[in-house]
Amino acid sequence: GSIGFVYHFLETFFTKMNVSRGFRAPNIAEISANGVHEGTVRYIIGVPSLKPETSMQLDYALGLNSEHITAEIDIFNNFINDFIFLSKIKNVSGGDSLTDGFTTFKYASGNANLSGGEVSVDIHPCPLDWLHLENSFSYISAIQKNASDSTKYLPFTPAPKISSDLRADIKKAGKNLKNIYIKVGVDNYFVQDKFYSAFGTETKTPAYTLINFGTGTDFVCGDNIICSLYISVNNLLDVGYKNHLSRLKYCTQNYATGRTGVYNIGRNISAKFLVPINIKKAK
């Protein structure tokens, strides 16, 4: 259940607040797993005695929506009792516990506090209303209460991130091109050095920066849209990186490359070509 309110003041400003109560029972894997999960290359053991998660969350937002600037600050604080997560198991000698040749993980639980927020700003300056500069910063802290240093930070907590996109919207170019856009984006992920280090469950993830590009247009004849073409390129510079949320980051060594773990996708180019069945009038 949840309850909240939105209040507008000074025409362009608004504020929002929401309080919610949550409940989640352990799923079938968390209470009964006992085998290899091929997608994560782990041997996972469930715990039948896990208790349901219960949470209490508070959200607050303050925003500006004017003619040339759109901005919003969102923050949250979530208290979760009996939060369920995976933890690696060690053998008696202190090394990784192996089952059928795979590193063994077991579900655990604890009381957690998740907090953080996001700040976003979209600037479309006058008289360049066709130009948009979008920026956002997000941060999440996930802490297990009353825990030791090695178990203080919960697994799979996203790293802080700054994203910036510069987009140009052109209504028309020549007789046959309309609704054109060109976009360049930069995603900067900070180092994640707050991780669940107990038993070697997680490791530090270095910072990295990705550059993305996109463009698209409608091809028209008179007032009718004949077709549309969209092209996007993610990770334009083909950066080698591992996301902190990737479970494949911890795969064993690839003897063909000498690398440990599976890297995230490199340069990825995609194109979409649309032909409307019913010809539509161009805006």
Side-chain angles (χ1 to χ4, degrees):
S2 65
I3 187 171
F5 72 88
V6 179
Y7 179 68
H8 292 262
F9 56 96
L10 298 179
E11 295 186 359
T12 57
F13 286 91
F14 65 89
T15 185
K16 297 186 290 185
M17 181 176 288
N18 187 73
V19 178
S20 59
R21 175 74 170 171
F23 170 90
R24 186 184 76 87
N27 62 43
I28 191 67
E30 292 166 342
I31 61 176
S32 63
N34 188 15
V36 178
H37 189 301
E38 301 294 351
T40 60
V41 200
R42 297 172 170 180
Y43 193 100
I44 297 178
I45 300 174
V47 179
S49 60
L50 288 174
K51 297 179 181 179
E53 295 178 345
T54 56
S55 68
M56 179 67 73
Q57 178 165 318
L58 174 66
D59 301 86
Y60 177 76
L62 178 65
L64 165 68
N65 190 9
S66 66
E67 185 177 359
H68 300 292
I69 298 178
T70 302
E72 187 168 332
I73 300 174
D74 296 273
I75 57 175
F76 74 92
N77 198 2
N78 191 4
F79 297 96
I80 306 178
N81 294 322
D82 301 304
F83 181 81
I84 300 171
F85 58 93
L86 275 172
S87 177
K88 186 185 286 188
I89 297 177
K90 287 291 186 181
N91 58 29
V92 292
S93 61
D96 289 346
S97 176
L98 300 178
T99 306
D100 296 339
F102 294 88
T103 305
T104 307
F105 286 75
K106 189 174 184 178
Y107 281 102
S109 65
N111 295 330
N113 181 204
L114 278 63
S115 59
E118 181 178 23
V119 179
S120 60
V121 180
D122 180 6
I123 303 173
H124 29 282
C126 179
L128 306 177
D129 292 336
W130 51 270
L131 190 65
H132 290 260
L133 178 59
E134 301 174 1
N135 300 276
S136 66
F137 171 73
S138 59
Y139 175 83
I140 295 177
S141 172
I143 296 175
Q144 184 175 194
K145 297 179 181 179
N146 304 318
S148 62
D149 290 342
S150 63
T151 61
K152 177 180 179 181
Y153 300 106
L154 291 168
F156 295 115
T157 300
K161 173 187 175 184
I162 289 181
S163 294
S164 297
D165 290 312
L166 181 63
R167 174 178 172 131
D169 293 312
I170 304 170
K171 291 184 178 180
K172 186 177 181 180
K175 295 181 179 180
N176 302 113
L177 299 179
K178 287 189 176 182
N179 303 323
I180 306 161
Y181 77 87
I182 301 174
K183 182 175 70 173
V184 177
V186 179
D187 294 328
N188 183 70
Y189 293 81
F190 291 82
V191 61
Q192 181 53 286
D193 53 5
K194 296 178 173 60
F195 55 92
Y196 191 92
S197 60
F199 318 119
T201 298
E202 284 190 321
T203 59
K204 177 180 175 181
T205 302
Y208 56 91
T209 300
L210 305 178
I211 298 178
N212 308 308
F213 172 80
T215 186
T217 186
D218 292 330
F219 295 90
V220 301
C221 181
D223 291 331
N224 298 319
I225 297 176
I226 304 303
C227 60
S228 302
L229 177 64
Y230 306 96
I231 298 174
S232 63
V233 184
N234 294 327
N235 194 1
L236 182 65
L237 301 182
D238 200 24
V239 174
Y241 71 99
K242 297 176 185 176
N243 190 292
H244 190 72
L245 303 185
S246 172
R247 291 172 170 82
L248 301 181
K249 171 187 173 184
Y250 304 97
C251 289
T252 55
Q253 181 180 0
N254 184 334
Y255 294 103
T257 62
R259 292 176 171 179
T260 300
V262 177
Y263 282 68
N264 282 71
I265 193 168
R267 184 184 298 113
N268 183 41
I269 303 173
S270 63
K272 181 167 64 173
F273 184 69
L274 302 177
V275 179
I277 296 176
N278 296 318
I279 296 178
K280 300 178 180 179
K281 288 187 176 182
K283 294 180 180 179

